Amino acid sequence: MKLLGIAGWKNSGKTTLVCALVKELIARGLRVSTIKRAHHNLTIDQPGKDSFKHHEAGAFEVLLASDKRWVLMHDQDNQSPLSLTSLVTKLDPVDLVIIEGFKAEPIPKIEVRLKSSKGKPLAPDDKHIIAIACDYPLEGEQIPVFDLNNHKSLTDYIWLYFRMNEKYIR
């Protein structure tokens, strides 16, 4: 599976961009999955719900299923975070996996920048960043720069990038 990271500082518009890219890529006939990095304790359970009670009783895994969707909640025995590689193996095969967060991973990434951002640019120190999507004019970069709101143009570039690097999407 091909991986594409979306990296940037908090509140830079990463999630908005991921959702727009997913829609654009699906419209082109691709199967797309996403992985989102959460920096806090993750729970989808709610106190009082049966799945919460199963977990509270000590179940190591709880699989919650309906007719249209399922989710597996798995507790880690250790405190070390799972690697991106191990997370990707948990997904069914698709054409492209878009990764939000995980900015230190050595995968092709699009950096998201806002003019109002307080963090320093990532691209100068990360050779895996293949393009920048920003909300202001930016010149002098060594990699392509796209308007953050021009999702079609950025999707065209992603498509071309994987084709030219012989990492064919299809």
Side-chain angles (χ1 to χ4, degrees):
M1 287 189 291
K2 308 303 176 251
L3 306 179
L4 175 68
I6 303 297
W9 299 105
K10 184 177 181 177
N11 297 321
S12 63
K14 295 183 301 293
T15 299
T16 301
L17 181 58
V18 167
C19 293
L21 292 175
V22 167
K23 287 178 184 178
E24 285 282 337
L25 291 161
I26 287 172
R28 294 177 187 215
L30 298 183
R31 288 189 62 195
V32 180
S33 290
T34 64
I35 295 177
K36 164 75 171 116
R37 175 80 175 169
H39 293 284
H40 44 78
N41 286 336
L42 177 65
T43 183
I44 60 169
D45 270 341
Q46 301 206 6
K49 297 292 185 181
D50 292 346
S51 56
F52 185 87
K53 292 175 185 176
H54 294 187
H55 182 261
E56 289 292 294
F60 182 66
E61 290 186 321
V62 177
L63 193 144
L64 182 61
S66 71
D67 291 342
K68 303 267 184 199
R69 181 179 286 173
W70 64 270
V71 62
L72 176 63
M73 294 171 278
H74 175 93
D75 280 343
Q76 287 183 212
D77 285 337
N78 59 28
Q79 294 299 325
S80 61
L82 289 173
S83 70
L84 180 58
T85 302
S86 68
L87 292 171
V88 168
T89 65
K90 297 180 183 318
L91 298 174
D92 282 346
V94 294
D95 298 307
L96 181 66
V97 180
I98 299 178
I99 316 288
E100 181 178 340
F102 293 91
K103 64 181 160 223
E105 290 292 327
I107 60 172
K109 292 183 281 270
I110 308 281
E111 179 182 354
V112 181
R113 289 187 197 169
L114 297 180
K115 188 170 186 130
S116 61
S117 179
K118 303 286 189 244
K120 74 175 203 159
L122 302 173
D125 298 322
D126 186 344
K127 66 181 180 181
H128 299 288
I129 293 179
I130 61 171
I132 299 167
C134 59
D135 68 346
Y136 59 95
L138 184 61
E139 296 178 9
E141 293 293 331
Q142 301 299 309
I143 57 177
V145 176
F146 295 88
D147 179 329
L148 182 58
N149 297 307
N150 189 341
H151 306 134
K152 183 183 179 319
S153 180
L154 185 54
T155 303
D156 289 344
Y157 174 74
I158 292 165
W159 186 272
L160 185 61
Y161 173 82
F162 283 107
R163 294 247 183 232
M164 289 183 64
N165 287 284
E166 299 184 19
K167 298 176 181 177
Y168 292 102
I169 293 176
R170 287 202 104 130

